[in-house]
Amino acid sequence: MVLALLVLVPEGMMLVTGVKSPAMAVLSESMEPAIKKGDMVFVHNMSNEPFREGEVVLFKVDGFEHPIVHRVIKVYEHRDTGEIRILTKGDNNSVDDRFLYASGQLWLQPHDIIGRVACYLPYAGWPSVFISEAYKVCKHALYSG
């Protein structure tokens, strides 16, 4: 029964939210003070809703192992083509995220966004943070020596 719950609960959450990984631990301080390192964010996918400045999204960037949780600071719709462009920034960062995007990429597009943060649970992600940081230490030790 426990095994069934471990399989069915994540699958059910995926069906409800429309996101492959609907819960994720925040691994950095980039969104403080709003969302802190170690908080657990819960993500949903409202793909038919327009993106809005101020909302917090989860997006994937080539070269980064984990998705990034940052705030939308600018939404631009090209007048002629209707193409949507999105610019993000961590609340605790002094500059926008263009330095994080793929080489030559100045904006995110809707397909780069995994989902929108619906809510968060303070401190619930700390076990994941500890595991992630321990993995980095072990990986560094294996490859440097």
Side-chain angles (χ1 to χ4, degrees), residues 11-123:
E11 288 296 319
M13 285 181 68
M14 186 175 80
L15 289 173
V16 170
T17 63
V19 179
K20 185 176 180 181
S21 300
M24 190 188 95
V26 176
L27 301 176
S28 78
E29 296 88 1
S30 67
M31 281 301 293
E32 290 185 2
I35 301 172
K36 295 176 177 48
K37 180 178 180 176
D39 290 351
M40 179 74 67
V41 294
F42 296 91
V43 181
H44 64 91
N45 183 358
M46 297 179 353
S47 56
N48 58 341
E49 293 290 323
F51 289 97
R52 297 178 316 275
E53 292 177 13
E55 73 180 322
V56 180
V57 296
L58 178 72
F59 61 94
K60 184 80 173 124
V61 174
D62 290 339
F64 281 80
E65 186 176 349
H66 300 285
I68 298 169
V69 175
H70 279 179
R71 191 174 306 278
V72 173
I73 61 168
K74 180 76 176 163
V75 178
Y76 172 76
E77 182 174 358
H78 193 277
R79 200 174 351 178
D80 297 332
T81 65
E83 179 184 33
I84 304 293
R85 298 177 184 164
I86 302 154
L87 183 61
T88 56
K89 177 184 172 294
D91 290 356
N92 198 25
N93 295 346
S94 58
V95 296
D96 63 47
D97 288 341
R98 287 184 171 139
F99 72 97
L100 294 173
Y101 302 162
S103 179
Q105 183 179 7
L106 298 177
W107 299 84
L108 294 176
Q109 294 182 328
H111 68 266
D112 296 316
I113 308 291
I114 296 169
R116 303 160 195 252
V117 174
C119 62
Y120 70 96
L121 189 58
Y123 311 110

